[in-house]
């Protein structure tokens, strides 16, 4: 990216046609405009209002199957544990559980959501750097499959809680491999100065200690170096280091049942290249294949990101001193990624006429009272009128889960398209619900 460009602008912006061509689940017809999986977005906006999260089951299912197939073709005994932090909509979780996925959770809330959507406790992995005693106890008492421990201090706490409950806690030690994932600094997790994981050289003694603790059952190692990773090189480096550790553990006669290889696989937000599942599976095979141990994957974004969009209405278009602003009814409280990470999301008009109209640069902003409430800067877009709809693409991961009620804005509704029809899967929050927790 050219450093002289304003942030959130790309050296060359993909056209609407290019964005749609790379996403065959999106299409446009002259009469109804933009459709997701054949369902006109305009009709969803009429029925359910905006802002509206719209998910396509077909995309989610196809992506799950593509990843599972690639792992199978590489002869890897692997299980896909969906990282709930990317999307916690129960209807989507139910679908993933039915497809055979496991879950990766980071709070007791996510644990409950996973349990209520049909994930068996032993198919759940509990990750996270700051689990409370209560969370650890709930997970252990419920029969959780694996707790990923991130420090010696946490290991001691898990051991004590398990002993109190009369259980043996299945623990994996999360390695901090000190590898730069080459992604945004705020979502890099595998460097030595990040808060995550256990320093590489402390793993073997700690694993030995766990193996000698009656209330602990060390099941393996875990690693996760970051998110939105677009090249395989950082994975290769991190996995190579983890494989070295597994070899050392096995040479010490320590039991290793599985290896948790984390998530982080990136997706194209524009039309840029991203690793394909087969290439990722080959990297896994190269690092871990010889062990013939089950692998656990924790993908979030790769499975759900492209399966969702945020449908929003233009509230007004205004001309500033030097630039045109398109003001939407969705804001940074709904989709935080552009404000937090300067993330680029495709923004496509829904009306067929607008899709083919001449474009000129515009800033796309929300109604929240912060300049950071900006979805795009100097984006080539057509002229808009009040009430026009736009789709903010690839918002299925880290979209609704990161939304807030800032500016007292209720959380948006969500619909899921299955077999050509859409159904409401999350009600829009009402102002009454929003205010109901206050005690005055
Ligand atoms: N496993 C662990 C331990 C994680 O911390 C994460 C994500 C994942 C799996 C799933 O990673 P994924 O496959 O989705 O990249 N809010 C940011 C992303 C934060 C990711 C945090 N950890 C964003 O919107 O880009």
């Amino acid at each position: 990216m050219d450093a002289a460009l304003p942030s959130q602008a790309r050296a060359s912006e993909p056209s609407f046609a290019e964005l749609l061509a790379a996403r065959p689940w999106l299409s446009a017809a002259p009469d109804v405009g933009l459709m997701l999986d054949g369902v006109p977005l305009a009709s969803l906006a009429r029925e359910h209002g905006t802002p509206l999260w719209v998910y396509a089951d077909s995309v989610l299912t196809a992506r799950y199957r593509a990843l599972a197939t690639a792992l199978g073709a590489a002869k890897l005994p692997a299980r896909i544990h969906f990282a709930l932090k990317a999307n916690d909509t129960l209807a989507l979780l139910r679908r993933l559980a039915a497809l055979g996925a496991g879950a990766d959770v980071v709070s007791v809330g996510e644990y409950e959501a996973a349990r209520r959507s049909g994930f068996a406790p032993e198919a759940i992995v509990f990750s996270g750097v700051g689990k409370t005693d209560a969370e650890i106890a709930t997970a252990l008492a419920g029969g959780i499959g694996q707790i990923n421990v991130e420090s010696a201090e946490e290991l001691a706490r898990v051991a004590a809680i398990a002993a109190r409950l009369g259980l043996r806690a299945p623990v994996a030690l999360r390695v901090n491999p000190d590898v730069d994932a080459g992604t945004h600094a705020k979502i890099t997790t595998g460097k030595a100065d990040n808060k995550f994981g256990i320093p590489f050289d402390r793993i073997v003694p700690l694993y030995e200690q766990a193996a000698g603790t009656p209330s602990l059952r060390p099941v393996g190692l875990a690693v996760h170096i970051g998110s939105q990773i677009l090249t395989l090189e950082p994975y290769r480096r991190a996995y190579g280091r983890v494989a070295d550790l597994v070899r050392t553990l096995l040479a010490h006669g320590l039991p290793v049942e599985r290896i948790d290889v984390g998530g982080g696989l990136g997706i194209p937000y524009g039309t840029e290249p991203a690793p394909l599942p087969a290439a990722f599976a080959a990297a896994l095979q190269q690092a871990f294949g010889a062990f013939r141990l089950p692998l656990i994957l924790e993908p979030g974004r790769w499975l759900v990101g492209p399966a969702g969009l945020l449908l929003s209405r233009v509230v007004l278009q205004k001309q500033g001193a030097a630039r045109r602003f398109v003001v939407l009814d969705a804001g940074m409280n709904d989709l935080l990624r552009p404000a937090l990470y300067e993330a680029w999301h495709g923004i496509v008009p829904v009306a067929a006429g607008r899709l083919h109209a001449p474009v000129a640069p515009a800033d796309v902003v929300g109604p929240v009272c912060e300049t950071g409430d900006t979805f795009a800067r100097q984006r080539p877009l057509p002229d808009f009128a009040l009430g026009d709809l736009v789709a903010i693409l690839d918002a299925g991961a880290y979209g609704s889960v990161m939304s807030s009620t800032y500016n007292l804005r209720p959380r948006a509704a969500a619909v899921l398209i299955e077999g050509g029809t859409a159904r409401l899967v999350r009600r829009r929050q009402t102002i009454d619900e929003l205010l109901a927790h206050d005690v005055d």
Side-chain angles (χ1 to χ4, degrees):
M1 188 188 281
D2 182 342
L5 283 169
S7 58
Q8 293 176 337
R10 294 196 157 191
S12 86
E13 300 273 352
S15 67
F16 303 141
E18 286 165 338
L19 287 171
L20 298 199
R23 293 161 181 76
W25 48 92
L26 292 173
S27 58
D31 48 347
V32 292
L34 194 64
M35 295 178 280
L36 175 56
D37 220 5
V39 176
L41 294 173
S43 68
L44 296 178
R46 263 195 307 277
E47 188 174 346
H48 301 283
T50 54
L52 182 71
W53 303 100
V54 187
Y55 304 115
D57 171 59
S58 64
V59 181
L60 176 67
T61 300
R63 294 183 78 82
Y64 179 86
R65 292 204 172 121
L67 188 54
T69 302
L71 294 165
K75 307 229 176 326
L76 288 167
R79 181 160 201 185
I80 299 168
H81 284 242
F82 175 63
L84 266 76
K85 63 169 80 70
N87 193 310
D88 57 18
T89 312
L90 296 186
L92 266 63
L93 297 181
R94 278 209 187 92
R95 184 71 195 125
L96 284 161
L99 285 166
D104 169 52
V105 305
V106 290
S107 68
V108 76
E110 288 188 358
Y111 175 79
E112 283 300 330
R115 291 292 292 116
R116 288 178 202 190
S117 335
F119 292 92
E122 56 280 7
I124 303 176
V125 169
F126 201 147
S127 301
V129 75
K131 308 172 198 78
T132 65
D133 286 1
E135 286 179 316
I136 294 166
T138 302
L140 285 176
I144 191 124
Q146 178 177 313
I147 297 190
N148 288 352
V149 170
E150 301 223 12
S151 60
E153 295 83 349
E154 187 183 37
L155 189 69
R157 280 172 50 199
V158 173
I161 295 165
R164 179 159 51 76
L165 294 172
L167 297 167
R168 259 187 107 196
V171 291
L173 299 190
R174 175 166 173 185
V175 182
N176 182 321
D178 195 18
V179 167
D180 187 347
T183 183
H184 193 285
K186 285 185 184 166
I187 52 175
T188 294
T189 56
K191 284 167 53 177
D193 55 2
N194 297 144
K195 67 179 174 180
F196 298 97
I198 298 166
F200 187 81
D201 53 3
R202 293 194 208 146
I203 290 287
V204 176
L206 205 58
Y207 204 93
E208 235 159 3
Q209 183 190 317
T213 306
S215 62
L216 296 177
R217 178 164 69 91
V219 296
L221 298 180
V223 68
H224 173 78
I225 55 172
S227 194
Q228 184 54 10
I229 301 171
L230 285 174
T231 61
L232 293 175
E233 213 28 57
Y235 279 120
R236 291 203 182 95
R237 283 205 299 280
Y239 291 164
R241 302 208 76 190
V242 173
D244 286 345
L245 284 173
V246 171
R247 268 186 288 275
T248 309
L249 294 174
L250 293 173
H252 281 58
L254 293 162
V256 180
E257 294 175 31
R258 55 186 102 122
I259 305 165
D260 180 337
V261 301
L265 203 55
I267 58 167
Y269 280 95
T271 51
E272 66 275 25
L276 294 173
F280 182 62
L284 287 172
Q285 172 62 42
Q286 199 190 355
F288 301 121
F291 296 124
R292 303 198 176 280
L293 287 172
L295 302 182
I296 288 182
L297 279 72
E298 300 173 354
R301 185 192 320 264
W302 196 89
L303 290 174
V304 291
L309 57 81
L310 178 58
L311 187 58
S312 178
R313 256 185 218 291
V314 174
V315 173
L316 63 82
Q317 180 172 267
K318 64 179 268 185
Q319 191 58 50
R323 42 180 78 197
R324 170 169 68 116
F325 294 98
V326 177
V327 187
L328 303 183
D329 67 357
M332 65 189 283
N333 70 296
D334 298 298
L335 179 64
L336 184 60
R337 301 193 70 257
L340 194 57
Y341 316 114
E342 312 259 291
W344 193 99
H345 282 259
I347 301 178
V348 179
V350 169
R354 301 272 185 247
L355 274 167
H356 302 291
V359 294
D363 282 16
V364 182
V365 301
V368 170
C369 300
E370 294 206 21
T371 302
D373 185 21
T374 298
F375 290 116
R377 296 206 168 94
Q378 297 301 284
R379 186 70 66 87
L381 287 169
D383 199 25
F384 282 114
L386 169 72
D388 272 348
L389 291 165
V390 296
I392 306 182
L393 306 185
D394 306 305
Y398 306 108
S400 69
V401 283
M402 290 176 76
S403 59
S404 75
T405 58
Y406 186 37
N407 282 198
L408 271 184
R409 292 166 45 79
R411 294 191 58 189
V415 298
L416 175 64
I417 299 170
E418 286 165 307
T421 49
R423 69 181 167 100
L424 186 71
V425 291
R426 185 171 282 176
R427 280 191 300 111
R428 189 174 301 284
Q429 195 176 31
T430 65
I431 303 276
D432 282 343
E433 285 167 338
L434 221 170
L435 298 176
H437 291 261
D438 276 41
V439 180
D440 58 10

